[in-house]
Amino acid sequence: MARLVKDIKRIALIAHDNMKEGLIDWCMQHKAALELHDLCGTGTTSRLIQESTGLRVKSFLSGPLGGDQQIGASLAEGRLDMVIFFSDPLTAQPHDPDVKALLRIAQVYDVPIALNRSSADFFVTSPNFAREYEYEPHMVDGKKHKGRG
């Protein structure tokens, strides 16, 4: 099942509580590039980004209430192309299994995922991010995969 990342990228924006301010700041810094694409995010994060930056961000549920799983399902269904996730590595998260499942789905479907500001900077400045560029990910063929982890 080939999937093509088209010129308008569909990007999920997620941040743990201690990282929301950093993601909002990053979105302001890259607003001109981001507004050319379709954005979505988990509940509170998407609302705060919209209020602070004026960017249009479709809202899923809050992460702990199923938003991470909704984004994971959207990745698996080919409805999202990339994830910018400012995660907090120093604070335990009550919904950590959901976050791990999201990361696993991104890996399985070869979806680019930035987990910090530096990797997000590389994404947004990459030629692959430009509107005129399309990209075909290299996914694992589940029918051929016989490993168990």
Side-chain angles (χ1 to χ4, degrees):
M1 171 176 102
R3 180 174 61 88
L4 183 66
V5 176
K6 298 189 178 178
D7 55 346
I8 297 176
K9 306 332 182 242
R10 299 164 302 175
I11 305 164
L13 302 168
I14 309 168
H16 284 142
D17 288 344
N18 291 340
M19 308 302 284
K20 290 185 191 320
E21 188 175 312
L23 180 58
I24 291 166
D25 180 60
W26 182 85
C27 287
M28 277 302 290
Q29 181 182 353
H30 297 288
K31 183 177 177 178
L34 291 171
E35 63 190 0
L36 300 174
H37 301 286
D38 290 336
L39 308 175
C40 68
T42 50
T44 305
T45 302
S46 62
R47 181 180 52 79
L48 291 172
I49 291 170
Q50 285 186 98
E51 290 173 357
S52 300
T53 68
L55 289 166
R56 286 188 352 218
V57 185
K58 176 188 171 194
S59 187
F60 286 100
L61 294 172
S62 173
L65 299 178
D68 297 324
Q69 292 178 333
Q70 287 179 304
I71 288 176
S74 295
L75 293 173
E77 294 169 353
R79 293 185 283 127
L80 290 174
D81 302 313
M82 117 182 353
V83 178
I84 309 280
F85 185 177
F86 280 29
S87 65
D88 181 354
L90 301 177
T91 303
Q93 303 297 324
H95 63 294
D96 192 51
D98 299 335
V99 172
K100 286 182 179 174
L102 171 65
L103 298 176
R104 181 182 169 281
I105 289 295
Q107 284 184 286
V108 167
Y109 289 93
D110 199 28
V111 174
I113 183 165
L115 296 176
N116 57 42
R117 189 178 195 119
S118 294
S119 54
D121 285 341
F122 272 82
F123 275 12
V124 79
T125 59
S126 165
N128 294 348
F129 196 83
R131 280 278 298 258
E132 59 275 355
Y133 190 86
E134 294 184 349
Y135 178 81
E136 187 172 349
H138 304 280
M139 295 187 339
V140 172
D141 184 349
K143 294 176 183 167
K144 293 181 181 178
H145 186 71
K146 296 181 185 185
R148 295 194 135 186

